Amino acid sequence: MSLYYEAASILTNADKAGGSLKSRIFNKKDLKSTPAQLFALVTEVSKWSAVLKEVVERSGVLKEERKLTPILALLLSHDLLLSKGGIAAPANHVLKLAITRHKARLSAEFTKARLKQGFSTLEAFREHINTGSDGSEDTAAPSNRAQAVSIQHPRWVRINTLRTTLQQQLDTTFAGYSYTDDLSKITSASNKAEILYQDPHIPSLLALPPRADLSKHPAYVSGQLIFQDKASCFPAYLLDANTEDADVIDACAAPGNKTTHLTAILSECRKRAARGGRVQRVIAFEKDKQRATTLNKMVKLAGADDMVTVKGGQDFLAVDPESEEMVRVGALLLDPSCSGSGIVGRDDSAKLFLPDPNTVKEITSSSHKSKKRKRRAPAIPALTKTAALEPEEQDTALENMQDDSTLNDRLSALSTFQLRLLTHAMRFPAARKITYSTCSLYFEENESVVLRALVSPIAKGRGWRILKRGEQVEGLRRWEKRGIWEDGKLGEEDMLEKEEKKDVLEGCIRCEKGTKEGTMGFFVAGFVRDGVRDDVGGDNGLYKKRDAEGDEADDWLGFSDNEVGEPNQELNEIGGNPAPPTIQHKKEKKNRKKRKA
Ligand SMILES: C[S@@+](CC[C@H](N)C(=O)[O-])C[C@H]1O[C@@H](n2cnc3c(N)ncnc32)[C@H](O)[C@@H]1O
């Protein structure tokens, strides 16, 4: 019986532990149940909780059984009604008796709930709960069911051009599939339907029905296919790294989808340019040692290991951009830890609905009084309480934070870290391209970081500017959803001139989740500078000039302005013109003149 008490304690987060549900269970010491069994129970119960809440409330069991708490009633009714093995407790255990006494009423309410949602069999109902699909035999879903099923997320598959080609895959793995240019046909198709959609924005990206299972297919197992959300393909594509860019850094790399995408793009460029000589390297940093192991595996599986150097357990912020190994780095992809608010399923499907004892009273008393009166229980029960139920974290950023820290504190801590990474990337002497991305929907982690970075001394000094929409790779130039502005969220950093701010927001790319575009929530922006390192000492040598004048603080988040060194011979070979002064530079100059006068 400890299984149910432990599950209840996990779901209510009695320990006030931070982190994802999975990490809280697997890191918990002194568990009597096995972590895998506990994890399976709490995830299953949370999936079914919206249905079970209603069933438990309508059965009146909470009113009659004082030993049952709402959460125990959910857990036990789940196993009673849905688990093959039934309730995992001795037959005479007091809690088992408390729930099984009401088996007939609970089963009847459960059947009613199933029929009300339009499912004629338990299997179809299960399919719906497990996959979010309608699981129906008929194609015309009843309207109440259609409302309950949210917009589906396609299964995005990137063809890994390091191992195969799009055409090879269309001729083999997907031979016999029909094609559609209507994504909604993909998202509404049954899981087994052999239908595909070729993405119009990202090369070599396909969409398949939401739960299409290719996980055992030889093409997937051998690394020819990679499951990667469309939005997550934007950064490597936007970076547009080519043979001119020398080495490329992926600063926050695990599990490695963007690393291998980046490598595939570089390798294609190299083939097209038929260049000999030194092979460009992708240097992939991953601070977390465990995640670096996954990164290594992914890189190997994708056939990227001859181009990628994994810096496992290494903090990108601790890297000296001027070191010998780094001076050839021409482009950087930054996809740092974030709140993950754009991840599909992070919030909407991860809520726990608890039965409300007061609702029990209302329903039972009214239903007992007049059976003829029509009940008006809401189709989707109101949220009584939300437990911290998150699917597997994309990374560890939030896991280390305390539960009681407010959202604002979290966003503030995350955006400070994100800004540090971005301004650090701007210090690489030969770098001319950067992409910055998050799977967050928050302005604070996205446009705000971009704008703050752009007005930083390092950005101004080295001539970094936003990659404007008109300069973006063709597929993303056509992407409609752009950056947003939220009034009052930026303080003195809101100092770009109106036109420049417009360009910046237009240069930012956003994806929303739960729309007909079928992406997760995502954000990406590109930065470029047109010159090379020696520009800093030339017309745009704001650092030196400012130092001489003794104005402006020397440090930007811990990076000294004085760290700009001498021009590097190797970098000059890459070529490039001096960066034209930006509006910011002009403003700076004007201010300096004023002050001198
Ligand atoms: C959002 S995930 C990256 C996902 C990855 N780009 C992909 O597409 O597969 C962020 C990763 O950055 C790592 N990370 C965070 N801070 C870092 C730092 N200072 N240096 C290197 N890696 C870092 C985290 O451990 C995490 O694995």
Side-chain angles (χ1 to χ4, degrees), residues 251-258 286-287 291 315-316 335 337 395 417:
C252 299
N257 278 343
K258 295 178 189 75
E286 175 48 57
K287 197 165 81 168
R291 290 172 68 84
D315 184 343
F316 171 67
D335 184 45
S337 308
D395 62 67
F417 152 77

Side-chain angles (χ1 to χ4, degrees), residues 56-57 59-66 68-70 73 355-357 360:
V56 169
E57 285 176 353
S59 72
V61 60
L62 276 178
K63 198 176 159 234
E64 292 178 30
E65 299 294 343
R66 299 284 167 200
L68 289 181
T69 61
D356 179 354
V360 174

Side-chain angles (χ1 to χ4, degrees), residues 212-518:
D213 187 11
L214 288 174
S215 59
K216 295 191 179 73
H217 195 287
Y220 175 76
V221 176
S222 62
Q224 296 179 341
L225 305 180
I226 291 174
F227 297 157
Q228 184 169 359
D229 191 279
K230 172 172 174 171
S232 149
C233 298
F234 282 19
Y237 183 44
L238 184 69
L239 189 64
D240 195 23
N242 58 42
T243 47
E244 302 296 308
D245 292 322
D247 293 340
V248 181
I249 281 183
D250 184 346
C252 299
N257 278 343
K258 295 178 189 75
T259 318
T260 56
H261 190 199
L262 183 62
T263 312
I265 291 173
L266 269 179
S267 162
E268 287 296 291
C269 267
R270 197 175 166 76
K271 275 187 226 157
R272 274 198 302 272
R275 274 255 180 124
R278 185 183 178 276
V279 174
Q280 286 168 282
R281 277 192 321 149
V282 172
I283 308 167
F285 288 92
E286 175 48 57
K287 197 165 81 168
D288 184 304
K289 279 193 183 139
Q290 227 173 330
R291 290 172 68 84
T293 311
T294 311
L295 173 64
N296 265 313
K297 277 189 203 150
M298 295 280 288
V299 164
K300 220 171 228 152
L301 179 65
D305 44 336
D306 57 345
M307 279 177 78
V308 178
T309 306
V310 171
K311 301 273 183 187
Q314 288 194 36
D315 184 343
F316 171 67
L317 286 171
V319 175
D320 176 5
E322 308 271 342
S323 66
E324 205 180 321
E325 198 185 2
M326 298 296 146
V327 289
R328 288 183 57 88
V329 171
L332 298 98
L333 185 150
L334 301 184
D335 184 45
S337 308
C338 70
S339 63
S341 57
I343 296 173
V344 174
R346 169 59 53 96
D347 51 7
D348 40 6
S349 64
K351 284 175 176 154
L352 183 71
F353 296 88
L354 285 183
D356 179 354
N358 298 323
T359 314
V360 174
K361 217 168 152 190
E362 271 166 38
I363 291 175
T364 49
S365 54
S366 61
S367 61
H368 288 164
K369 263 185 216 148
S370 163
K371 288 202 166 135
K372 277 183 199 155
R373 226 169 94 195
K374 221 174 172 185
R375 286 175 196 151
R376 297 184 62 214
I380 299 168
L383 181 65
T384 309
K385 183 175 176 180
T386 306
L389 277 180
E390 291 167 333
E392 194 170 359
E393 291 279 351
Q394 221 205 3
D395 62 67
T396 51
L398 293 182
E399 296 197 356
N400 300 327
M401 296 197 179
Q402 289 305 303
D403 251 19
D404 54 0
S405 63
T406 64
L407 177 64
N408 282 345
D409 290 344
R410 288 178 175 209
L411 293 179
S412 164
L414 281 167
S415 60
T416 302
F417 152 77
Q418 290 153 349
L419 182 61
R420 273 194 76 190
L421 278 171
L422 184 48
T423 48
H424 189 56
M426 288 176 168
R427 299 177 65 225
F428 284 69
R432 290 192 296 169
K433 297 174 180 173
I434 297 173
T435 58
Y436 168 76
S437 55
T438 73
C439 52
S440 164
L441 299 170
Y442 294 113
F443 172 82
E444 288 85 339
E445 295 179 89
N446 299 329
E447 290 85 352
S448 170
V449 171
V450 167
L451 286 158
R452 288 161 73 196
L454 282 171
V455 297
S456 69
I458 188 75
K460 289 189 283 178
R462 300 214 172 172
W464 285 104
R465 61 173 178 82
I466 197 80
L467 176 70
K468 293 183 192 164
R469 181 173 184 174
E471 300 168 319
Q472 292 172 359
V473 277
E474 196 269 335
L476 293 180
R477 208 181 308 149
R478 282 188 282 107
W479 184 259
E480 287 303 324
K481 191 92 189 76
R482 297 283 146 175
I484 57 165
W485 174 251
E486 288 188 15
D487 274 336
K489 292 227 165 137
L490 270 178
E492 57 190 273
E493 297 91 350
D494 180 16
M495 54 201 258
L496 292 183
E497 285 181 7
K498 207 171 160 202
E499 269 312 297
E500 202 175 358
K501 194 164 104 185
K502 210 172 120 203
D503 278 347
V504 172
L505 295 181
E506 188 64 9
C508 294
I509 295 172
R510 270 186 172 257
C511 298
E512 283 171 3
K513 65 175 167 179
T515 69
K516 62 182 175 39
E517 308 289 353

